Structure formats: structure tokens, C-alpha cells
Amino acid sequence: QVQLLESGGGSVQAGGSLRLSCVASRSIYSGYCMAWFRQGPGKEREGVAHVSTSESTTYYADSVKGRFTISQDNAKNTVYLQMNSLKPEDTAMYYCAAHYGGCAVVAGFRNIPARYNYWGQGTQVTVSS
């Protein structure tokens, strides 16, 4: 069992930055797919960024490429999401999620929420124009 706890959300103006943190209750170094999903008002939950923790392979949604960076600190059992150049459309509840096994190479599989066994409670990000 893995418990995930997110932090770092808040309100910023467009163009600003935030860094989200997700602390896991156990080691995530060996063979997990760690991911950040988001869900905006009236929208479906979508995958934003993923990392296969064994190889540190990362994946990003097209909408955030070049602006967001996912990283891991194995010593702290923590995954980060650095978000730069934020836009109003980035406004959403952001969730950390995990499943055992590397992240699927195919985006369609990687972004299916039901594949993830473990979820945090979410942290709100609000970007004003």
C-alpha cells in the first residue's frame, strides 16, 4: 500500500510558477509509474506528466510540454511537478497518482486513471489572467 500526499498548490497570475510536491509513504524508486493528473471544472481527469521511477523516463501531455517538469527525489520518496508559464487553462485540482510497473509507452494507456492504484487527495491550482 502506498499513500500519497500532495502540497504546493495555490493561486498565481498567468505567467507565474508553482511547484507541486507528492510525498509517498514508502520507497518509490523500484518500478513505479508516478503521475500527475488534473481535473478542471466540468472536465475529465487528464494525465499531465508521468515518470517511470526506475529509469527516470518522463512523459508529458502536449498542453504542458516545455512548461512543466516532473522530477523525483528518491531519498525523500517525493515526486515534484515544476510548473512555469502558467495559463488560466491550467486551473484545476492536481492529483498525484501511482501504480507499480513502469509507465505505459502509449499515451492512451498511460493516461487511463483506472490504471493507477494509489491517489492523493489533490491540491488546487488557480491561475488568473
Side-chain angles (χ1 to χ4, degrees), residues 34-126:
M34 301 294 296
W36 288 96
F37 282 76
R38 69 184 180 187
Q39 188 165 17
K43 297 182 180 180
E44 293 187 354
R45 193 167 294 192
E46 63 169 341
V48 173
H50 304 71
V51 58
S52 289
T53 59
S54 292
E55 305 87 18
S56 298
T57 304
T58 58
Y59 305 88
Y60 297 94
D62 288 342
S63 58
V64 306
K65 277 182 184 176
R67 300 189 299 122
F68 290 12
T69 303
I70 188 170
S71 61
Q72 61 190 94
D73 184 333
N74 296 328
K76 296 182 178 180
N77 295 339
T78 301
V79 173
Y80 302 99
L81 185 68
Q82 178 67 44
M83 305 186 295
N84 298 328
S85 302
L86 282 161
K87 304 175 181 180
E89 51 264 42
D90 295 318
T91 294
M93 184 71 80
Y94 283 71
Y95 298 91
C96 180
H99 69 70
Y100 191 71
C103 298
V105 175
V106 177
F109 290 112
R110 188 168 63 242
N111 291 320
I112 297 174
R115 291 175 58 89
Y116 294 79
N117 308 95
Y118 310 109
W119 290 85
Q121 84 291 348
T123 185
Q124 178 68 39
V125 172
T126 302

Side-chain angles (χ1 to χ4, degrees), residues 3-7 21-26 76-79 96:
Q3 294 179 325
L4 304 173
L5 182 63
E6 306 100 329
S7 62
S21 299
C22 171
V23 180
S25 60
R26 55 172 293 174
K76 296 182 178 180
N77 295 339
T78 301
V79 173
C96 180

